[in-house]
Amino acid sequence: MVHRAIASDPESALQRARGFRQQVQARGIDLMPWEGWPLRPFFFPRASLQALAVQLTSALDAWREKASRATPEELSQRLGLNLEFLRRIETGPSFLAPEFASYLRPDGFFFSDHYDLVELNFANGLIVSNAYTEILADFHAQDPTLPWAESPRPFQAYLDHIESYLPREREEKPLIGLLSFQEEYDTIHSWEKRVADMVLLGRDLFHQRGLDTVVLHERDVEVGPSGKAVVKETGRALDLIVQITINTSFMDRPELFENEFALWKGSRVGSTPLLSPLSGLCLDKGTLPWLAEHLTPTEFRIAIPSTHIPTPEREVEYRLRREEWVLKRSFDGKDTHAGCSTPGRQWNKVVARAIANGGYVMQRYRPMPTTVVPVTPDGESIHWLEVSFELSPFIIDGRFAGGAVRYAPKARGLVMSPPPPGMGFALAAAV
């Protein structure tokens, strides 16, 4: 496979990495430990990456056209989502809005002829992992032997997309609202310092493009006399609002959409676009069975492992054949258990809880692809390590716009979120 065939000289990359990491850390930015630092990108065939982007976008376009005609009751039954939330937000028109489906970042497993799509991460919650790609892109840009110039930089592609929503001729610096539910913003700042550093770095990258930003919480915005969304505290108009956390907390209080949250129902706040609308919360792992119906096979194809809501009737099957299944949260939060790597008693407990409480999907287990990469445990020595890896392509308006790779020492039933011991984070390069 192409990602194994191309590599820069690891020794030279290690020498560059020492100086580069020192420069970044001197700016007060925390980085992943040495064992998680990639000495080279992962390389993939450009044609396959573009075919993946086109096929997923086409399937999503067909899905949202179908879903836009569904009633809240039908959506709730099909997806297992809170009916009261679906009744109070705008679904149909928002599903069809350009802001809904223009930016995607799925997770899956890349093979020579197909991509196993195992999770849909929608156009919110992007800034942390995406900002880290810019650090890695700066590092790899120092290596003249890499065919790097032709590969898109994910965060720069994201900023290009942001600017496409702004007037070309503008008299003053645009203001971008970064929407995060207050509780979720407080949570990410309670995690390790690197997470908060990436939020700050992401804002810096906006500012380097000449775009002002302001972090907004659910009650910080109103519609001004001009019809545009404005920041309550300053009265300044917002040109665009993007989401920087997943914002599933909005789903917990659907009654507030009758008054306090009314601004956030649709794809716009006043006349200001919201990228992406909260209706995007309807697109996640629990949507995969429905999305699978709209995939059109191509030479390089997307495959969605069999995914369904777990039922009491199949509980004995899940217990006896646990190595065949992975249990995941369907929409809200992260809680993943691979049956083949989860002890039997623990597996039985989480399966019983999922069936009783809902909010989970059962997905057919698919092994990750593997490759061999140079890894340094200490910044001094290099080990060639066999790893399992997961590819997350960034897809903008149907085109591949860069990608990220999570990898860790090869293991059966590996779960990448939360990060396992020894996880690395690399860039995907198209060649």
Side-chain angles (χ1 to χ4, degrees), residues 141-164:
Q142 297 179 349
D143 187 348
T145 70
L146 290 175
W148 186 246
E150 298 180 3
S151 285
R153 294 170 70 125
F155 206 95
Q156 297 303 321
Y158 176 53
L159 293 177
D160 291 342
H161 185 57
I162 293 292
E163 289 192 316
S164 72

Side-chain angles (χ1 to χ4, degrees), residues 146-303:
L146 290 175
W148 186 246
E150 298 180 3
S151 285
R153 294 170 70 125
F155 206 95
Q156 297 303 321
Y158 176 53
L159 293 177
D160 291 342
H161 185 57
I162 293 292
E163 289 192 316
S164 72
Y165 283 88
L166 305 176
R168 292 190 176 183
E169 302 295 330
R170 44 190 187 246
E171 297 180 358
E172 58 181 358
K173 188 178 293 188
L175 180 62
I176 311 299
L178 307 178
L179 175 64
S180 176
F181 202 96
Q182 177 70 62
E183 294 173 3
E184 296 185 20
Y185 194 73
D186 292 343
T187 297
I188 65 173
H189 280 77
S190 70
W191 292 341
E192 57 189 11
K193 180 176 178 294
R194 185 171 64 249
V195 176
D197 286 350
M198 290 306 102
V199 174
L200 296 176
L201 175 60
R203 295 189 69 185
D204 286 344
L205 294 169
F206 273 89
H207 301 162
Q208 291 171 24
R209 276 290 186 102
L211 306 172
D212 276 351
T213 64
V214 56
V215 173
L216 302 170
H217 303 307
E218 60 273 17
R219 294 176 174 86
D220 291 342
V221 179
E222 61 187 2
V223 176
S226 67
K228 294 180 70 173
V230 300
V231 183
K232 285 182 181 179
E233 185 176 357
T234 65
R236 187 173 173 188
L238 293 157
D239 297 283
L240 180 68
I241 302 172
V242 300
Q243 301 199 47
I244 63 168
T245 56
I246 299 175
N247 285 327
T248 55
S249 298
F250 277 105
M251 300 170 71
D252 300 333
R253 303 168 191 177
E255 70 280 358
L256 294 184
F257 282 93
E258 299 294 339
N259 42 69
E260 292 182 67
F261 293 172
L263 290 176
W264 307 112
K265 287 183 177 181
S267 61
R268 290 180 174 256
V269 180
S271 60
T272 302
L274 172 60
L275 179 71
S276 66
L278 294 181
S279 56
L281 294 173
C282 294
L283 198 70
D284 207 322
K285 296 177 285 294
T287 323
L288 289 175
W290 196 355
L291 184 68
E293 299 173 11
H294 301 284
L295 286 173
T296 302
T298 60
E299 185 174 353
F300 183 87
R301 60 189 176 85
I302 292 176

